[in-house]
Amino acid sequence: MFSIIAAVGKNNEIGKNNKLLFHIKDDMEFFREKTIGHKVVMGYNTWNSLPSKLKDRKNMVVSELDFDGPDYIIHDIDKFIQENEKTEEEVFIIGGGMIYKLFLPYAKTIYLTEIDASDSEATTFFPDFDKTKYYKTILHEGSENDLGYTIVKYEKS
Ligand SMILES: NC(=O)c1ccc[n+]([C@@H]2O[C@H](COP(=O)([O-])OP(=O)(O)OC[C@H]3O[C@@H](n4cnc5c(N)ncnc54)[C@H](OP(=O)(O)O)[C@@H]3O)[C@@H](O)[C@H]2O)c1
């Protein structure tokens, strides 16, 4: 099964010039806790934005290219979805914009850190989705360096 995990601003912004927009320690820790030991799926741009491979996780990159570094490169996304959508194993979709959009219809759960800030120069956005189709649970509310945020779990009903 697929779970999406992302941190979004007030306008669903997630990135700018292939970098993250917001840096919240609690959010990073939540991301680490959730994804550790699991397969993590990311697009080629997100892979390039990382300083290094994500430790203790199977790094899977969606790309048409072949290159060294990731544990696995996904060329055929339809086949990958077919093979993993109905499994018990939780596969995390970790971005970016293009990859969230591709996997959104197949994700059972969406973990969103909703940050109370915006960036008018953002270049990448989380796709719109119909929140009424999901059961919403607030997992944690906090604030760091004057930046308020809420970690929310959306489960498809
Ligand atoms: N806030 C957050 O939670 C969060 C999380 C992750 C990333 N981000 C941000 O998001 C931004 C990157 O997102 P992005 O939308 O530009 O890129 P992306 O989704 O990371 O990667 C896009 C790339 O994936 C490959 N791809 C996409 N669809 C494919 C398909 N059907 N088959 C094969 N390959 C496919 C293509 O690479 P090839 O050209 O190699 O085929 C494409 O250029 C960055 O700013 C990053 O910091 C934010």
Side-chain angles (χ1 to χ4, degrees), residues 5-7 14-20 43-46 49 62-65 74-75 77 94-100 102 124:
I5 187 160
I14 59 164
K16 175 164 70 178
N17 303 330
N18 217 33
K19 292 200 172 84
L20 292 175
Y44 182 67
N45 295 348
T46 295
S49 77
V62 183
S63 177
E64 286 178 347
L65 308 172
I74 301 166
H75 291 302
I77 203 148
I94 64 161
M98 281 190 224
I99 290 326
Y100 287 141
L102 277 171
T124 316

Side-chain angles (χ1 to χ4, degrees), residues 26-51:
D26 274 356
D27 173 51
M28 296 292 178
E29 187 48 33
F30 178 74
F31 175 82
R32 205 187 69 82
E33 265 173 31
K34 276 284 158 213
T35 58
I36 211 90
H38 292 281
K39 289 177 179 168
V40 289
V41 175
M42 69 196 96
Y44 182 67
N45 295 348
T46 295
W47 167 256
N48 276 333
S49 77
L50 295 178

Side-chain angles (χ1 to χ4, degrees), residues 43-74:
Y44 182 67
N45 295 348
T46 295
W47 167 256
N48 276 333
S49 77
L50 295 178
S52 58
K53 207 161 138 174
L54 296 174
K55 266 202 295 179
D56 304 323
R57 281 150 278 195
K58 185 169 184 182
N59 288 229
M60 309 181 87
V61 178
V62 183
S63 177
E64 286 178 347
L65 308 172
D66 274 311
F67 49 94
D68 290 332
D71 297 306
Y72 189 80
I73 298 179
I74 301 166

Side-chain angles (χ1 to χ4, degrees), residues 130-148:
D130 182 355
K131 291 186 176 161
T132 64
K133 299 235 158 71
Y134 295 77
Y135 182 75
K136 177 178 174 176
T137 314
I138 293 181
L139 301 181
H140 178 68
E141 279 180 296
S143 130
E144 210 174 283
N145 300 326
D146 287 334
L147 211 53

